[in-house]
Amino acid sequence: MVRVVVVGLGTMGAVHARSFAKMENADLIGVVDINESRADSFAKELDTLGFYSFTDAKQALGERIDVVSVCLPTDLHPSYVKEAANIGADVICEKPLARTAKAAEEIVRYCKKKGARLFVGHVVRFFPEYRKAKEVVEAGRIGDVGVVRTTRGGAFPKASENWYADYDRSGGVVLDLLVHDFDFLRWTFGEVERIYAKNIGGVAGINEQAKEYALVSIRFKSGVIAHLEGSWAHKQFRTSFEFAGRDGILAYDSQSAQPLIAEKSDAGKAGGVAVPESPLKQSPYEQELRHFIGCIEKNEQPLVTAEDAYRAVEIAEAALESIKQDKPITLHVQTVLS
């Protein structure tokens, strides 16, 4: 039985805690939040489990713990991940791994030095439509892919201390939201060569308007070109993608009644074969966390590695630098973390 403490009870912290509470091979022994009433009310909600609530992470980390789940604002990740590694615990950290690539690299190296396994919550890899899309592309069902388009966005997120509005803490829509697509596309098409990005909102200071919109164009070393749209300016949350291959198009839209479609361009063949989906018994978030706990128990390699998480931050940082300098940024992958 893996003993777990969740640090931070915002949206994702609550998701983590409730997911761990369902697992037969995980023992949620405590939750931590600076808001005492929130921590207490959450403990009461699941009081049959007999775990404890804390307002001080150091107090909670004094317990015997196998895994610390870090679900705090992005800029706080480094210090709390290191605290967890210091007590010999493995770490599950929400994405993005850190506010900067340098900080992300330091986290990865620190955990390796301490012998702590580091897992990062890039949950899009666990969404069935994205996993199916990767399978379709790799199977060559739409031929060689040349162009990709993705969309991800919704309303501006609200959280304690309004930290999402502080670019120095959150990195804005490019780091906090589009990092999902950076990771998924790199997973599917390999390393990034060049990035050009524009946004409405900024890259530093406080976002007073509480809205942001960004466009990012990426050229992969494989030759694939991707155009990413990220928005904290819409009311309804939406994700979509479209992969244009030599032999067809694979498209997905979360707002469509028939969300995932593969269209073959072969003459004489049907042009709209839907890839069926079914309701999930476990959310992608719960699947992800079960996967991480299983990797810890069996000492297996996770679907998302710490280096993957570092690379996603590196791509996001390059996009932010492109916005700042108003020019394309070339990425030279030189840092080896293994």
Side-chain angles (χ1 to χ4, degrees), residues 3-256:
R3 293 164 59 87
V4 183
V5 165
V6 174
V7 181
L9 286 175
T11 302
M12 291 312 305
V15 169
H16 279 223
R18 291 189 177 99
S19 296
F20 289 127
K22 296 178 183 178
M23 298 182 196
E24 303 79 9
N25 56 346
D27 181 12
L28 181 64
I29 65 170
V31 292
V32 182
D33 197 274
I34 58 173
N35 185 324
E36 184 175 2
S37 62
R38 181 160 62 179
D40 286 343
S41 63
F42 196 90
K44 290 176 182 177
E45 175 189 334
L46 300 175
D47 60 357
T48 55
L49 299 174
F51 64 83
Y52 302 96
S53 65
F54 301 92
T55 56
D56 183 356
K58 289 186 178 180
Q59 180 186 10
L61 298 184
E63 301 287 323
R64 185 180 70 79
I65 300 169
D66 300 310
V67 175
V68 177
S69 183
V70 178
C71 302
L72 296 164
T74 302
D75 61 313
L76 300 179
H77 289 178
S79 60
Y80 283 88
V81 169
K82 290 176 182 178
E83 285 285 349
N86 285 340
I87 66 166
D90 292 324
V91 185
I92 296 173
C93 181
E94 261 305 316
K95 64 80 209 164
L97 180 55
R99 175 60 182 84
T100 66
K102 180 180 179 180
E105 180 183 348
E106 289 176 356
I107 289 175
V108 175
R109 293 193 184 282
Y110 193 88
C111 287
K112 286 181 179 293
K113 179 181 177 181
K114 294 291 184 177
R117 300 195 67 188
L118 175 61
F119 305 84
V120 185
H122 280 284
V123 73
V124 165
R125 296 195 187 200
F126 293 84
F127 273 77
E129 56 271 25
Y130 285 85
R131 296 189 73 163
K132 176 59 70 174
K134 187 174 187 294
E135 291 174 9
V136 169
V137 168
E138 291 181 343
R141 288 171 57 186
I142 59 171
D144 293 336
V145 174
V147 181
V148 174
R149 178 174 56 84
T150 70
T151 299
R152 184 175 303 274
F156 195 92
K158 302 295 183 182
S160 60
E161 301 176 345
N162 199 25
W163 70 271
Y164 283 104
D166 187 340
Y167 286 104
D168 294 334
R169 300 192 68 188
S170 72
V173 74
V174 170
L175 177 63
D176 192 81
L177 187 67
L178 284 180
V179 74
H180 282 300
D181 297 298
F182 296 150
D183 175 67
F184 172 72
L185 293 176
R186 176 180 169 270
W187 185 42
T188 305
F189 299 110
E191 300 299 342
V192 169
E193 182 176 81
R194 190 167 65 246
I195 298 174
Y196 182 63
K198 299 283 283 187
N199 83 332
I200 295 175
V203 294
I206 304 299
N207 186 334
E208 300 287 356
Q209 295 184 355
K211 63 178 63 176
E212 188 181 0
Y213 183 93
L215 294 174
V216 181
S217 293
I218 298 177
R219 182 180 181 87
F220 292 85
K221 290 186 176 181
S222 62
V224 174
I225 302 291
H227 303 288
L228 289 70
E229 177 187 27
S231 173
W232 279 344
H234 289 80
K235 290 184 178 180
Q236 292 186 331
F237 187 77
R238 176 196 176 204
T239 62
S240 70
F241 58 70
E242 188 172 86
F243 296 162
R246 190 173 297 276
D247 300 325
I249 290 179
L250 179 66
Y252 163 79
D253 190 328
S254 63
Q255 294 183 344
S256 172

